[in-house]
Amino acid sequence: MSELVVPVLLTIITASTPLVFAAAGEVVVEKSGVLNLGVEGMMIVGAVVAFAVGVKTESATLAILSGATGGMLTAFIFGFLTLRLLANQVATGLALTIFGLGLSALIGHGFVGKTFSGLPKIGIPLLEQIPVLGSLLFVHDILVFLSVIAVFLITYVLNKTRLGLIIRAVGENHHAAHSIGYSVVWVRMGCILFGGSMAGLGGAYLSLAYTPLWVEGMTAGRGWIALALVVFASWRAWRAFFGAYLFGGITIIQLHAQGFGVDIASQFLSMLPYLATIVVLVLISNNSSRMMLNAPADLGKSFHASD
Amino acid sequence: MIRLELRGQVSERMVYCSPFFAVIMTLLSGMLIFSFLGVNPTQAIITFFVEPISSIDGIAELCVKATPLVLIAIGLSFCFKANIWNIGAEGQLTIGALAGGGLCLLFFNSSSQFLMPGMLIFGILGGMAWAGIPAFLKIRFGTNEILTSLMLTYIGLLILSYLIHGPWKDPEGQNFPESRLFQDAALLPIILDETRLHLGWIITLICVPVAWMLMTYHLIGFQIRVMGMAPMASNFAGFRGKNIIWISFLISGGLAGLAGTIEVAGPIGQIIPVISPGYGFTAIIVAFLGRLHPIGCLLSGLLMALTYLGGDNAQIELNLPNAVTGVFQGMLLFFLLASDVLVRYRIRIVSFKNKHRNIG
Amino acid sequence: MIDKKPILELLEISKAYPGVIANNRVNLEIKPGQIHALLGENGAGKSTLVKIIYGVQRCDSGKIKWEGSEVSQITPQIARKLGIGMVFQHFSLFDAMTVEENIALGIPANLANENLYQNIIDISEKYGLRLDPCRYVQTLSVGERQRIEVVRCLIQNPKLLIMDEPTSVLTPQEVDKLFKTLRRLSTQGVAILYISHKLQEIIDLCHVATIMRAGEVVDTCIPSEESPRSMAEMMMGANLMTPKKNERMISEKPYFCVNNLNHQSTMENGIDLKDITIQAHKGEILGVAGIAGNGQNELMEILSGEVRASDTSSVSIDQVSVGGLGPRKRRENGMGFVPEERLGHGAVPEMLLWENAFLSGYQSMKLMFNGFMNVAKSREYTEKIISSFKVKTPNVNVTANSLSGGNLQKFIFGREILQDPKVLIVFQPTWGVDAGSAAYIRQSLINIADRGAAVIVISQDLEELYEISDKISVICEGNLTKPKIIENISVEHVGLLMAGIKPLENDDLGDQ
């Protein structure tokens, strides 16, 4: 049994990790009161930059770092426009996605058809020898471990540290945060850049580990699913983690259903994650008062000190 | 040191100036990118923006491309004015094309003169139905329309893929995932000989003034604008928020569906796996660049159509990747959003020394 | 105390916003232990000045000296380090966070340690400001919220405490308690900068008063040597016009009625309305007093029809049920409304004045033609509003947000009153409006009642209600008391009702 199930579970982990990165990063961004709809754009730029650097240098470390940087630089455009020039966050996020998709295709033009060796697997000593569980949970590439660590860190920082308190304060009431002396713009910029690098890592995982090659538009809407996950998780990183695995699971099971000869057109199975997102969105919006407790009150509002 | 200062009143002049700033900045940055790619920037700009429209055929082609963009952007303007973020126009276009095209496939023997108008109406209804889903979910459950309308786009594209791989596949098509070719009675008539310019362009030109009147001088347009700017004031006046959500979603979905049918009954002539190269998303830029005003949408739709033609031309002439188009479009929107700051704020340049003295 | 050196000196402070000079060469001196009033009407520049002291805003020019030495740049962090604490008018609190978290955010990191919980309890016991550090702010009353801000300051042992309009949200009894705390701090040597436009308070509490008008310091005085009248004249720079009340014909039967209305709030942390009964007669002004957040918003919504009543018969005009109708239909039945928020509720900020006139007047003034807006007629109507209500504006083609608060409020009142409503319901009619416009608006409320309309005024401003109302009710926690004839009920009595305490005295004289 485990011979059949373990590979499926392993592919679920691979399919979920990009979503974990992007969603957990966006949790931080939204907690600071910023709605960055450009996750898809930041992811795909991260993916192409990581892949290009990976192919050129053959270094996994450099590839990962540049993927994160690529996402961060893309996020900086968003931060500059929305925080300094007070552009509408929704429109800027959309522009970021359109721009990111175009730019990535331009950068990736010369890398279509190239391959990357993939990320090396790392086993955690001792734990990896546990039968079944060992190979399932403790032998992975660095990014899978990093995604789990990131979720723990984000949860800890947001809830248990002063930094987290300040981030939440800025997202909750930016005028109050400003009047007691916090720089709304810089706190938000920091969160946007962090979110960008996380999205970049999610993209890098796609092009370095998930498929190890570059395909135009390869994020295929994952950035948008990550955004839905943040709402689904009611702005909690650990819930976003489980949400990402739920969605990763649906994606993979849908693939295997075809393999097991389930007689449904593949397109209908491929719709499942999108349908599930809609269903989840409906369910949580129905229960809004409870969820609102954790939603940042100033989400999506521009801040100008003299207002 | 640059400081932003809130203007007492929105600058009317800047509202119309900022698109021009944006276009100029995009051209300049475009030249920069071209020289990065090792292409003579002036040559590239000419290839991109001048050559495609230096013939009658080119201009006709420009209008063909602009047709869906302008139609969708006008519809989106209603949504965005009402502060409703329908970003699923691509899906509404697809379902509209399927509804309109489906009617033709159902009556593939018919040569009735009512077929083509019927298709257009079905297209509108299809787009409306698809846009009605996020509208319903928003009104009934308060679900965020950005995400639902987008998810429905992916679902719409998968429905298209299913239909042409399965039930609607052309029985004589050597197993290609395409529908049968539409018969003549189903095609939009050509209005300029020797070109592909079709009736859809005329329909678009009619929509512009109608939408303008509706938006600026009709109570519906007024209600939409009030709700977008101040939802509480809309309640105060006694406008029904739910109706406004319905109306704006249905207008934009209907126009996107119309655009979809016009595409399959016009330049394409059958249903194929890719009906639109992202018109539904590009129209978002068109709508903003056109200041959410129907006439503005017409102008910016033509400009944006040019980036598509330019992208194709650059690919052929200069061997540049087609994706340059997307970069141009994204940059254009960035620059527009950036220069829009001038509408509400005045930029004050404060020299650092001066500022220090002021404080000290 | 006289010979003490000043702790804070402001020299020639100036600050301009686009179109407004908020502070013009302001000088001010505060000594330790002194309770120093900063007096001025709304818009005189008091709040801007204290925000400059606390470093929230930067001044354009001028010097700030702290304990004799110049401070070149102030941020709130630096201000706190110097020993300045501030209680904001619009609290700087975070609703979804606990009291402890809120306090931690407003103090230096080294104080926000594991002892903070105990510190909060100690300080709040010491000054009699009871606070539970674990409670979430959104569950607290306005008075409790203010305590958080005060404790947040006290925990840092401030040398100067700035209080911006602290009593505007408190009951008279809570005000007494606050004053006790402030006097105690003063004897401990803490300087207090007390901002208010309420004269009696300043006379009761403050040692010195600086009076501001239109961004400038116009006078200083010793409040205990002045009368409210003399200080008011310093503040306004002119003699006050008191509204004239005429004898009116009051209809025998109530014209607008709310009967035993229960309503669950649709707002977050809202107040449910319980068994509300209102009987408004023609030719009468009914005042509804109460502290903010006691159900006034909900009451306004249900009276205007922005939220429908679940029992449609519970609201009626002239015996016709209107509870199930929205604002548009209620206007058709002769109602008019002025909401609290001018920008964004009563008017669309970015729309032109004539469009804003169209907003609520399009039906009764017939400004439409086959579903299309009749622009010429709307402009004409707007001109009429502007001329009959003395709205200062260049023309009808400016946006609503370019008008000053007072002018816009006059415009909104004009728009409603010219539609000749039989029932007019207004919420905070003169909030943030200059004294001249406020007097004008109050007079126009009296005038429309003279002409036979039933008027309901929901306001937190007791002085205003005493000035114009014929009867007064008090709303507290969603309950509305029976109306009393204004001459038969004392301010103290109303204060107790506002706090939710049923006074023992059993006078039913005022009942109608």
Side-chain angles (χ1 to χ4, degrees), chain A residues 27-79:
Chain A
V27 165
V28 177
V29 179
E30 292 193 15
K31 266 293 176 192
S32 77
V34 177
L35 181 63
N36 184 353
L37 294 181
V39 180
E40 181 88 0
M42 303 187 296
M43 266 182 113
I44 195 132
V45 170
V48 75
V49 172
F51 187 75
V53 171
V55 169
K56 289 272 187 210
T57 64
E58 308 234 318
S59 154
T61 320
L62 275 181
I64 292 171
L65 286 178
S66 38
T69 317
M72 198 192 277
L73 288 177
T74 327
F76 176 76
I77 304 178
F78 178 86

Side-chain angles (χ1 to χ4, degrees), chain C residues 91-377:
Chain C
F91 303 144
S92 57
L93 297 175
F94 307 94
D95 285 357
M97 296 187 179
T98 64
V99 171
E100 188 182 356
E101 286 178 319
N102 267 283
I103 290 177
L105 277 165
I107 58 177
N110 59 346
L111 277 176
N113 52 22
E114 60 275 14
N115 299 330
L116 181 61
Y117 186 90
Q118 196 51 48
N119 277 344
I120 295 171
I121 291 182
D122 292 348
I123 293 272
S124 57
E125 273 175 9
K126 188 171 155 197
Y127 291 95
L129 302 164
R130 247 191 26 237
L131 266 185
D132 177 356
C134 299
R135 288 280 293 276
Y136 281 87
V137 172
Q138 60 197 0
T139 66
L140 301 178
S141 72
V142 191
E144 287 172 301
R145 289 179 196 205
Q146 188 176 60
R147 272 182 233 158
I148 305 176
E149 294 236 334
V150 176
V151 170
R152 179 154 81 183
C153 294
L154 295 183
I155 226 163
Q156 302 172 70
N157 292 316
K159 294 176 188 162
L160 169 66
L161 185 60
I162 303 170
M163 307 213 63
D164 193 356
E165 304 260 2
T167 58
S168 57
V169 291
L170 303 181
T171 63
Q173 287 76 9
E174 282 176 310
V175 170
D176 284 345
K177 232 174 140 185
L178 176 71
F179 283 7
K180 269 189 201 132
T181 312
L182 293 182
R183 288 199 188 96
R184 186 166 157 193
L185 286 167
S186 155
T187 56
Q188 291 169 0
V190 178
I192 292 163
L193 182 56
Y194 186 90
I195 294 140
S196 181
H197 62 264
K198 296 186 181 171
L199 305 160
Q200 195 55 50
E201 279 182 2
I202 289 178
I203 292 172
D204 290 349
L205 179 74
C206 300
H207 306 131
V208 190
T210 298
I211 294 144
M212 287 184 78
R213 190 168 65 227
E216 297 183 24
V217 170
V218 289
D219 221 330
T220 49
C221 65
I222 308 288
S224 53
E225 297 167 0
E226 299 286 335
S227 72
R229 180 109 205 153
S230 66
M231 282 173 62
E233 279 169 7
M234 284 188 241
M235 182 164 99
M236 317 283 186
N239 291 339
L240 281 174
M241 162 178 123
T242 26
K244 275 192 305 196
K245 275 198 208 176
N246 301 325
E247 283 298 312
R248 303 191 195 108
M249 289 292 296
I250 293 176
S251 68
E252 213 157 284
K253 274 195 198 149
Y255 186 73
F256 174 76
C257 294
V258 178
N259 290 320
N260 305 96
L261 174 120
N262 285 291
H263 167 61
Q264 258 193 333
S265 175
T266 51
M267 303 177 195
E268 232 180 296
N269 315 310
I271 303 285
D272 298 340
L273 297 178
K274 290 149 212 147
D275 207 20
I276 301 274
T277 296
I278 296 174
Q279 299 194 322
H281 297 254
K282 286 183 123 181
E284 184 183 71
I285 298 180
L286 171 68
V288 176
I291 305 157
N294 270 288
Q296 290 97 327
N297 292 317
E298 287 80 0
L299 184 63
M300 186 68 199
E301 275 187 348
I302 210 104
L303 293 183
S304 68
E306 289 186 32
V307 172
R308 318 275 146 97
S310 46
D311 174 8
T312 53
S313 64
S314 57
V315 184
S316 63
I317 299 173
D318 206 10
Q319 282 145 18
V320 179
S321 303
V322 295
L325 306 180
R328 205 167 52 87
K329 286 270 165 64
R330 289 196 194 189
R331 283 201 185 91
E332 276 177 12
N333 281 289
M335 294 182 77
F337 316 100
V338 177
E340 178 184 30
E341 198 69 43
R342 284 184 284 282
L343 288 171
H345 199 171
V348 185
E350 291 100 349
M351 275 190 168
L352 306 178
L353 285 187
W354 71 263
E355 290 176 301
N356 272 302
F358 180 89
L359 181 72
S360 84
Y362 71 96
Q363 275 181 304
S364 60
M365 305 311 289
K366 305 205 168 44
L367 304 179
M368 265 201 331
F369 179 76
N370 283 343
F372 285 91
M373 302 162 77
N374 187 334
V375 180
K377 216 172 162 190

Side-chain angles (χ1 to χ4, degrees), chain A residues 159 162 164-170 172-183 292-293 295 305-306, chain C residues 17 54 56-57 76-77 80 88 91-97 101 104-109 112 138 152 268:
Chain A
N159 296 316
R162 189 168 172 86
L165 190 61
I166 293 169
I167 291 175
R168 285 187 287 137
V170 166
E172 178 68 26
N173 183 343
H174 48 215
H175 288 298
H178 172 75
S179 40
I180 55 176
Y182 295 105
S183 168
M292 287 316 270
L293 276 178
S306 77
Chain C
Y17 291 115
Y54 195 60
V56 180
Q57 300 275 357
Q77 279 93 345
R80 288 197 286 265
F88 290 88
F91 303 144
S92 57
L93 297 175
F94 307 94
D95 285 357
M97 296 187 179
E101 286 178 319
L105 277 165
I107 58 177
Q138 60 197 0
R152 179 154 81 183
E268 232 180 296

Side-chain angles (χ1 to χ4, degrees), chain C residues 428-440:
Chain C
Q428 299 276 44
T430 59
W431 183 256
V433 164
D434 62 286
S437 304
Y440 190 92

